[in-house]
Amino acid sequence: MLLYTNDEGDLVKVEGDPENPFNEGRLCVRCLDLPEMVNNPKRLTHPLRRAKADRGHDRWERIGWDEALDLIAAELNKVKEAYGPESVIFSCGTGRDIAPYITRLCWSFGSPNFVNIFSGKACYLPRVAGCIATTGAFWVADCAQQFPDRYDNPAWQMPETMFVWGNYPLIANSDGFFGHWVVDLMKRGMKIVMIDPKVTWLSAKAEVHLPVRPGTDAALALAMMNVIINEDLYDHDFVEYWCYGFDQLAERVQEMPPEKAAEICGVPVEDICAAARMYAQAKPAAIQWGLAADQKTDGMQNGQVTVDLMAITGNLDVPGGQILPGAGAGHNESGFGFEKGVGDELQKKMIGLEQYPAYCMIILNAHADLMLHALETGDPYPIKMGFYAGNNLMSCTSMEPQRWHDAIVKSLEFCIGFDTFMNPSIEASCDIFLPLSTVAEREGTVFTHYAPCTVTAGFMHKAIEVGETMTDFELCYELGRRLRPEVWEDFASAKEFMEALRLGKKEGGAYFDKVSQNVVCQIPVEYYKYERGQMRQDGQPGFATPTGRVELWSTAFNQFGDDPLPYYLEPEFGPADPELMKEYPFILTTGARTTAFFHSEHRQIAYLRELNPDPIVEINPQVALDLGIADGQWVRLRSPFGECVEKARVTETVDEKTVHAQHAWWFPEEDGSEPNLYGNFRSNINNLLPNDHYGKLGFGAPNKCLVCGIDPLVENYDTDMNLIWEKFGKLV
Ligand SMILES: Nc1nc2c(c(=O)[nH]1)N[C@H]1C(S)=C(S)[C@@H](COP(=O)(O)OP(=O)(O)OC[C@H]3O[C@@H](n4cnc5c(=O)[nH]c(N)nc54)[C@H](O)[C@@H]3O)O[C@H]1N2
Ligand SMILES: Nc1nc2c(c(=O)[nH]1)N[C@H]1C(S)=C(S)[C@@H](COP(=O)(O)OP(=O)(O)OC[C@H]3O[C@@H](n4cnc5c(=O)[nH]c(N)nc54)[C@H](O)[C@@H]3O)O[C@H]1N2
Ligand SMILES: [Mo]
């Protein structure tokens, strides 16, 4: 991004950087509108504190940074002495820049309880767990993103066919995959198959569109493998030399003939077969997949079955298939972390480690759902203090958010929030607010949270100064040193800490200064690394699994006590329970991304809010007719777990059985005091979603496959929210 300032030093304009090989100057509206966020009157740019009795009320007082950090250090040490470091939880949400630093702060303090407060960690990790167990790695579609000369690089080949699966790349640009690459390749002749319940701009241009019932993707994938294996369309050489357990997989997929999947998924059997053939016969073919894979109880199996599909068709580590860098590529974690700070004894105390060792050890995270129980009951031990950075949990990541709210407010004696704006979670439960620098006010690196997959680092350069804010790495360094200086003595400065963690060097910031002169830094990816011993730490040919092969029969899952072969789990809440469907007749999928917002962010940015002023639920015209709902009318959505109100958008892009609801809504313009809390619990779709419905190894949650009922609220669909509030009272 190119940032422009005026003579007074204010940020006034943002443009895409045409020299960036990733986006070639194309930016989303949220980037372009950055000045409105940076200069927003609601932004908080000084540390604040208030008494515990004032939680839930805007009774904050400005304090200085030193005072704030000393106070936090004193509170942390007090709690540590009385209850042990494990009684303090640190959380962040999605993998923003904060993630590597706050985990180090947590571990260096001695707490094993870094936790993503998100049931079943149903973002990305279920997929990753399925992939790691099978191949020792996570695979992304090859759009030449690793080459500075991109599509012109002679080593690269274009995928003939791409599956776009449970992901909408043009809006989400998720996990370092820039969505417009799909369009770039379509212009060059690539065909796409779209697997998405909704009709979209991309699905309208797809060769095949499979509008599956939400939550049934694993059945579809098994059926496609059934077709590919039974029609002998698989890659015999790759299967013979590099796969383990093919015969067992071939037997397993017989349980899911395409006719059966057609019934489960609600799509024509011919389309399933056509898509399977297109994928297997294309040389090469790629899969660009997303969040819908994770947000179901069998999310991990969904990851496993998808990587199996890539493997048996010979699309792993080939040009135009799926790529990843070699072992040890990407940034270096510098060894500063878990072992040194937490150690063996405290590690055993990680919440959930005993019950879900795979979950806890793969991601070094306490188990979210079990953390809720610990907060509610004090079992296995009391949780006394919290630190949220980059997580608005009560609006966004917690399911049954009122339960989390109550548990946190009751249990935590002291709590800290670190953010750019006030939000409902901080307002409800924190005693200290720390102000965060935006991208315009800081130096730093830009990695996606799984950096090695894209092997690209970008750099931030400070453009402006606003208030007294700190960056993520500065705060974690400053606080970490106050708490346990001996653990931090390896780093002479905050910048060196960032440099060591992100770039794998320690030159007092000099290495960062040097490389950050580049627009981006790319590590070229080679193909066929498994043939040359570049995938395993021991340098042997093969994949980083116990057998050295792609484990279609997973020794890891077997060891952890799950089925070694992929399977489909019918959603617990859905057509399998006809009684339930009488009361909640629609399939609910939530959270499909919007251009205007990043999760719960940006609701206070006027231009962005204007693009999407209200929480929207999309329903089919027939449903609207049957229930007497007009386009733009407020409706009540309900499930067995709770309810909320959203505004109906009547559209043919969704079918008659499925309802698509936006997530992460709160209203910064409303009263922030308890119990209203910026309207946090009124239009919060997570009221309808449960905790504790994850898969056997602890991963996955039914965020995109629940059931709901819909009731029209008021006849006058122009009614404002306050009227509904008055008329219907508090809903939760
Ligand atoms: N603008 C914006 N971008 C974002 C984010 C944001 O909040 N705003 N969030 C970021 C984060 S953390 C993430 S994880 C990614 C997620 O980004 P994506 O992976 O794209 O996930 P979603 O947008 O939730 O859903 C993608 C598509 O899945 C479809 N879908 C819903 N249910 C199902 C199902 O059961 N099966 C299938 N096959 N499809 C289904 C939806 O209709 C939607 O079109 O986006 C990232 N990018
Ligand atoms: N129903 C439903 N719920 C969902 C989803 C869904 O699809 N459906 N998606 C889920 C997914 S995939 C995810 S990843 C989670 C995301 O959940 P979160 O990551 O919690 O998302 P936000 O609420 O946008 O962000 C939290 C806060 O981080 C602050 N922030 C932004 N950048 C930074 C930074 O660099 N440093 C720090 N310290 N703070 C920052 C923002 O101002 C914001 O207040 O939501 C989940 N919730
Ligand atoms: Mo996410």
Side-chain angles (χ1 to χ4, degrees):
M1 294 160 66
L2 301 175
L3 308 186
Y4 295 86
T5 54
N6 62 13
D7 291 344
E8 284 75 52
D10 306 316
L11 180 68
V12 289
K13 191 172 97 166
V14 170
E15 278 182 348
D17 183 350
E19 284 182 42
N20 183 308
F22 237 56
N23 61 34
E24 296 171 306
R26 296 168 288 189
L27 294 182
C28 74
V29 64
R30 299 180 310 287
C31 285
L32 293 169
D33 198 36
L34 185 70
E36 210 190 334
M37 175 178 164
V38 166
N39 304 320
N40 198 281
K42 284 199 150 75
R43 240 196 101 185
L44 298 173
T45 54
H46 299 279
L48 305 172
R49 77 175 286 191
R50 70 181 167 192
K52 192 178 167 197
D54 289 333
R55 281 184 184 175
H57 299 280
D58 183 8
R59 294 180 193 143
W60 297 94
E61 272 168 43
R62 182 168 158 183
I63 54 169
W65 266 105
D66 275 333
E67 194 187 347
L69 293 178
D70 288 343
L71 185 67
I72 294 167
E75 290 292 332
L76 276 163
N77 284 329
K78 213 162 70 189
V79 167
K80 184 176 184 170
E81 217 150 273
Y83 301 97
E86 67 275 17
S87 68
V88 183
I89 59 173
F90 293 74
S91 85
C92 75
T94 187
R96 298 182 176 89
D97 187 55
I98 180 73
Y101 311 120
I102 192 165
T103 45
R104 291 342 189 271
L105 175 64
C106 171
W107 299 333
S108 73
F109 172 68
S111 174
N113 286 323
F114 175 74
V115 58
N116 274 118
I117 296 179
F118 187 27
S119 178
K121 190 67 187 79
C123 170
Y124 191 59
L125 268 306
R127 254 178 300 159
V128 170
C131 277
I132 301 271
T134 311
T135 63
F138 182 75
W139 300 85
V140 291
D142 182 5
C143 295
Q145 59 266 50
Q146 66 278 25
F147 300 121
D149 51 350
R150 297 298 304 265
Y151 310 129
D152 295 332
N153 190 288
W156 180 72
Q157 224 182 312
M158 188 175 75
E160 269 178 38
T161 293
M162 180 183 278
F163 276 15
V164 181
W165 200 334
N167 171 254
Y168 201 70
L170 300 187
I171 291 178
N173 302 297
S174 46
D175 309 317
F177 187 96
F178 189 64
H180 288 271
W181 300 336
V182 176
V183 180
D184 291 348
L185 299 190
M186 286 164 75
K187 286 181 181 168
R188 290 165 179 250
M190 181 183 77
K191 297 190 165 52
I192 62 165
V193 170
M194 192 78 191
I195 304 164
D196 193 309
K198 224 194 297 208
V199 175
T200 57
W201 189 87
L202 274 178
S203 80
K205 287 159 185 65
E207 223 61 25
V208 183
H209 175 206
L210 294 163
V212 292
R213 160 162 67 97
T216 62
D217 296 87
L220 177 70
L222 285 164
M224 290 206 270
M225 280 208 281
N226 176 303
V227 173
I228 290 167
I229 292 173
N230 292 346
E231 295 186 4
D232 197 14
L233 299 174
Y234 63 94
D235 184 325
H236 284 253
D237 280 353
F238 188 82
V239 164
E240 184 170 338
Y241 296 122
W242 301 105
C243 293
Y244 175 81
F246 178 76
D247 293 343
Q248 290 96 320
L249 178 71
E251 209 178 302
R252 172 59 56 90
V253 301
Q254 300 312 318
E255 294 169 20
M256 190 59 77
E259 294 74 20
K260 183 172 168 189
E263 206 152 291
I264 292 172
C265 306
V267 293
V269 64
E270 311 81 64
D271 289 355
I272 296 179
C273 297
R277 290 177 195 131
M278 260 182 83
Y279 180 69
Q281 287 167 342
K283 292 285 174 252
I287 297 180
Q288 165 53 22
W289 49 331
L291 182 62
D294 308 307
Q295 297 200 325
K296 44 205 60 161
T297 301
D298 63 3
M300 199 181 70
Q301 282 72 27
N302 209 335
Q304 182 188 16
V305 71
T306 311
V307 78
D308 286 356
L309 198 52
M310 298 165 184
I312 66 163
T313 51
N315 281 308
L316 293 181
D317 214 12
V318 301
Q322 310 294 136
I323 51 162
L324 87 171
H331 66 286
N332 184 319
E333 298 268 321
S334 85
F336 173 73
F338 198 79
E339 295 81 14
K340 188 167 178 183
V342 179
D344 289 346
E345 275 316 297
L346 282 166
Q347 174 185 324
K348 289 190 200 125
K349 294 193 166 172
M350 188 191 290
I351 298 283
L353 181 68
E354 202 187 316
Q355 299 90 328
Y356 301 106
Y359 177 115
C360 293
M361 288 323 288
I362 290 177
I363 56 178
L364 292 179
N365 248 240
H367 192 270
D369 302 74
L370 295 181
M371 183 58 75
L372 176 60
H373 296 287
L375 283 160
E376 284 179 335
T377 65
D379 183 38
Y381 49 80
I383 304 295
K384 288 291 177 192
M385 198 166 152
F387 197 127
Y388 333 132
N391 184 202
N392 180 2
L393 57 121
M394 292 174 199
S395 312
C396 194
T397 54
S398 61
M399 304 303 125
E400 302 172 85
Q402 186 80 51
R403 240 181 104 184
W404 275 94
H405 166 277
D406 296 351
I408 280 180
V409 170
K410 191 178 105 215
S411 183
L412 300 185
E413 282 174 10
F414 197 77
C415 195
I416 302 133
F418 181 36
D419 215 305
T420 40
F421 291 89
M422 185 52 63
N423 67 40
S425 310
I426 297 176
E427 193 72 280
S429 61
C430 289
D431 309 294
I432 295 261
F433 174 93
L434 301 174
L436 170 74
S437 318
T438 71
V439 61
E441 294 137 37
R442 57 174 299 183
E443 297 191 298
T445 57
V446 189
F447 277 102
T448 54
H449 48 293
Y450 60 90
C453 293
T454 54
V455 288
T456 299
F459 306 98
M460 296 179 234
H461 298 278
K462 191 170 181 159
I464 56 165
E465 196 122 14
V466 174
E468 296 179 327
T469 63
M470 268 207 212
T471 68
D472 290 312
F473 69 82
E474 286 165 346
L475 174 70
C476 294
Y477 178 79
E478 290 303 328
L479 195 55
R481 272 195 331 158
R482 272 179 162 79
L483 291 164
R484 246 171 121 188
E486 70 281 8
V487 183
W488 290 77
E489 66 197 8
D490 282 1
F491 307 105
S493 67
K495 192 165 167 183
E496 186 171 301
F497 167 56
M498 174 267 287
E499 184 180 68
L501 248 70
R502 288 314 222 169
L503 302 170
K505 300 240 181 184
K506 252 180 8 190
E507 295 180 7
Y511 183 67
F512 170 83
D513 288 341
K514 195 170 107 211
V515 291
S516 67
Q517 296 311 310
N518 300 320
V519 176
V520 295
C521 196
Q522 282 166 299
I523 300 167
V525 169
E526 291 176 51
Y527 298 110
Y528 303 105
K529 291 179 293 299
Y530 60 94
E531 291 183 350
R532 295 192 301 270
Q534 293 168 348
M535 295 279 289
R536 295 173 58 90
Q537 294 288 357
D538 64 11
Q540 292 296 311
F543 293 83
T545 59
T547 60
R549 297 179 182 230
V550 172
E551 295 192 351
L552 303 172
W553 190 97
S554 165
T555 54
F557 287 166
N558 190 48
Q559 192 189 340
F560 283 119
D562 207 340
D563 192 333
L565 292 166
Y567 56 87
Y568 165 66
L569 211 58
E570 178 61 27
E572 185 184 348
F573 306 96
D577 186 345
E579 277 306 303
L580 185 76
M581 294 299 288
K582 277 188 201 153
E583 214 168 314
Y584 307 100
F586 302 99
I587 307 294
L588 172 70
T589 175
T590 70
R593 303 319 189 224
T594 65
T595 32
F597 308 126
F598 197 92
H599 295 289
S600 74
E601 292 180 47
H602 303 118
R603 299 300 187 291
Q604 61 286 81
I605 315 299
Y607 180 77
L608 298 173
R609 183 69 180 276
E610 206 178 313
L611 297 173
N612 192 151
D614 303 303
I616 295 294
V617 55
E618 290 169 311
I619 58 171
N620 182 272
Q622 189 59 49
V623 173
L625 205 61
D626 292 346
L627 299 179
I629 296 167
D631 187 43
Q633 185 172 351
W634 289 97
V635 297
R636 183 197 306 259
L637 301 169
R638 54 185 164 77
S639 85
F641 302 95
E643 57 192 53
C644 75
V645 295
E646 296 205 352
K647 202 173 205 180
R649 177 183 289 156
V650 178
T651 166
E652 305 218 27
T653 58
V654 304
D655 69 25
E656 292 169 29
K657 296 187 191 111
T658 316
V659 165
H660 292 246
Q662 289 184 351
H663 78 305
W665 271 91
W666 61 290
F667 305 88
E669 66 278 15
E670 284 188 21
D671 179 13
S673 317
E674 294 269 19
N676 186 53
L677 218 51
Y678 305 101
N680 186 63
F681 299 107
R682 190 171 65 236
S683 295
N684 193 331
I685 196 69
N686 292 356
N687 293 344
L688 283 74
L689 301 174
N691 294 286
D692 297 328
H693 290 270
Y694 43 81
K696 210 165 172 181
L697 300 190
F699 286 108
N703 305 27
K704 290 209 196 308
C705 54
L706 213 80
V707 288
C708 74
I710 313 173
D711 312 312
L713 271 186
V714 266
E715 273 144 45
N716 173 6
Y717 55 83
D718 253 348
T719 314
D720 77 22
M721 226 40 223
N722 291 330
L723 201 96
I724 295 180
W725 201 231
E726 263 166 41
K727 190 161 171 187
F728 292 91
K730 193 166 180 324
L731 288 163
V732 181

